[in-house]
Amino acid sequence: MVKTPVRAALSLAVLSGALWASPAAAADREETAPSTWAHRAEVTYDSLQQHLYQGSQEHGLYLEKTPRKEGENPHSYLWPLREAAAATVDMSELPRVGARYERDAAERFTALRLYFDPRDGRPGYDSYLPAPLGQGGDVFYDDNAVVGLSFLDQYRSTGEEAYLDRALETYSVVSRGWDEDPAKPCPGGMRWVDSPDNTMRAANVTGLAAQLASELYAIDHDDEFLASAKKWYEWNWSCLRRSPGLYDNSRDDDGSVNETLWSYNSGAMIGTAATLYRATGDPSYLDRAVEDAKGSLAYWKEGDRLHDQPAIFNAFYFDNLRILNEVRPDRAYRTAAATYAEETWKENRTPSDGLFRFQPSGGGDHAPAAQAETLEQSAMVQIFAGLATDRS
């Protein structure tokens, strides 16, 4: 593998201090120069590779955090690697420079496969590396749903059928998560984890699974995917929707509801509805997507709500607003993403190493002494690259 050249820390400091000194000026340039966002994606990716990527000698894996502390796993969990993969696919689609990241993207998916465990008829991507590289972990259905979505991104980017095959395989894994017990309050929903101890049916896995099914239907129009997408989408809408664009976190088997709100739950439902509209032509899905986008933006833009959300959740949210923007353009979607990205570049980035540091939640104010994480560094690559390729 040919690694992307990494810029020196001094160069990063000079660029951040001189070229991008004023948020207002940068915002003005952003209106006419997507290269601003492309540059930020490149230097953020370079820092990810310099400080968190472990190299081909370590199977193309990543650290969870840097600096790694005694007792921490030698490699990241599945979710951060998935986000690094998603970020690298985004880099490979940047105008003019994308080709230089194509080999990196292919390596990410080879590394992802190391987490796959064919165990006893219930295969899936483990939360941590199975033997011989690790001790394995549970199959979390939300992790598997986003892995499937990344395979589809790479399939659309390269046209290689092997990635579509992996997405289809992952859909089969995720489908096991649907709860068939009619006696539970608000029957249905996707279980969070493949475990007999699971008692939670969650908005994240149900919405992300619906998105995976809807995107598969948009590709090959198999009625099974459409039926699944509709069923899973409707459960979130009926059982967890608090108000337009806002979805409670989960419903326990005893009927209690966790009312925590996350921006990526808003996003998954927006993206699913927009994809269903594009694939079926049913205008009711477009109406729902627009209603959820309007309601969620009104909520998340208030005060520090977006700022306090984990950066990775906001990356999901903005990506799904772009999906809706493709079928019903609205400048407000890009403005929200650009405002967040500008503030986070200015406030949460450490110029000396180019790494983003947040509170333990993964969002909020800059924490200079915190370990930097593959998860959130990858999120910022995704956000910057999305702004660089979105010409709305």
Side-chain angles (χ1 to χ4, degrees), residues 261-264 300 305-311 313-314 340 362-364:
L261 298 173
W262 301 111
S263 56
Y264 77 148
W300 291 117
R305 284 173 174 162
L306 268 180
H307 170 76
D308 290 340
Q309 284 284 292
F313 290 180
N314 290 337
Y340 173 83

Side-chain angles (χ1 to χ4, degrees), residues 23-339:
D28 289 340
R29 279 193 294 272
E30 179 272 320
E31 292 297 324
T32 56
S35 58
T36 299
W37 297 116
H39 170 80
R40 292 178 179 182
E42 287 188 85
V43 298
T44 303
Y45 179 83
D46 288 349
S47 294
L48 172 71
Q49 295 302 96
Q50 181 180 15
H51 297 286
L52 288 149
Y53 173 67
Q54 295 182 280
S56 57
Q57 71 279 7
E58 290 289 345
H59 312 282
L61 296 167
Y62 283 77
L63 292 171
E64 183 84 6
K65 305 174 183 180
T66 189
R68 178 173 168 251
K69 295 181 179 179
E70 185 178 353
E72 292 180 339
N73 287 328
H75 309 294
S76 80
Y77 285 97
L78 171 64
W79 187 20
L81 178 59
R82 182 272 174 182
E83 298 313 327
T88 313
V89 174
D90 289 345
M91 294 300 295
S92 74
E93 296 176 346
L94 286 176
R96 293 182 295 280
V97 300
R100 73 179 64 159
Y101 299 100
E102 290 174 358
R103 291 182 65 181
D104 284 23
E107 186 195 67
R108 295 300 96 83
F109 288 92
T110 300
L112 269 178
R113 192 62 179 176
L114 297 174
Y115 290 77
F116 187 82
D117 189 343
R119 64 162 66 77
D120 60 21
R122 295 183 72 81
Y125 288 85
D126 281 7
S127 57
Y128 193 68
L129 291 154
L133 295 176
Q135 69 274 18
D138 291 319
V139 172
F140 286 86
Y141 290 121
D142 56 338
D143 284 356
N144 279 259
V146 295
V147 166
L149 288 168
S150 277
F151 278 124
L152 288 182
D153 285 342
Q154 180 72 341
Y155 167 69
R156 286 187 289 260
S157 181
T158 66
E160 294 183 22
E161 292 288 333
Y163 295 116
L164 178 58
D165 291 342
R166 294 294 192 214
L168 292 167
E169 177 187 56
T170 309
Y171 165 83
S172 296
V173 174
V174 172
S175 297
R176 297 200 312 260
W178 181 254
D179 195 305
E180 299 284 359
D181 186 349
K184 291 179 181 177
C186 214
M190 304 291 288
R191 296 185 295 275
W192 183 44
V193 60
D194 189 5
S195 167
D197 297 327
N198 179 81
T199 62
M200 181 174 70
R201 295 161 290 154
N204 62 354
V205 57
T206 309
L208 293 164
Q211 189 168 9
L212 176 60
S214 68
E215 292 193 11
L216 284 169
Y217 177 73
I219 290 170
D220 74 0
H221 296 284
D222 186 318
D223 287 342
E224 177 187 346
F225 300 138
L226 180 59
S228 294
K230 287 182 174 181
K231 179 171 68 173
W232 301 341
Y233 173 86
E234 293 295 346
W235 187 84
N236 260 9
W237 183 278
S238 300
C239 294
L240 290 176
R241 191 174 189 256
R242 184 188 305 181
S243 63
L246 301 179
Y247 291 81
D248 291 326
N249 179 74
S250 58
R251 182 179 287 271
D252 281 357
D253 292 347
D254 63 6
S256 60
V257 175
N258 180 334
E259 297 183 347
T260 307
L261 298 173
W262 301 111
S263 56
Y264 77 148
N265 288 335
S266 301
M269 291 295 282
I270 293 166
T272 299
T275 301
L276 284 172
Y277 165 70
R278 191 175 66 238
T280 67
D282 184 342
S284 69
Y285 287 113
L286 179 59
D287 291 343
R288 291 193 194 190
V290 171
E291 181 182 25
D292 270 1
K294 182 178 179 180
S296 64
L297 275 175
Y299 178 84
W300 291 117
K301 286 169 58 180
E302 186 174 328
D304 289 333
R305 284 173 174 162
L306 268 180
H307 170 76
D308 290 340
Q309 284 284 292
I312 189 58
F313 290 180
N314 290 337
F316 276 79
Y317 182 53
F318 299 140
D319 185 58
N320 281 290
L321 288 176
R322 283 193 297 275
I323 292 173
L324 174 57
N325 194 68
E326 291 173 3
V327 294
R328 176 62 65 82
D330 188 328
R331 186 67 181 178
Y333 308 151
R334 180 180 177 86
T335 298
T339 299

Side-chain angles (χ1 to χ4, degrees), residues 5-18:
V6 179
R7 291 168 174 79
L10 178 59
S11 298
L12 294 173
V14 170
L15 283 168
S16 65

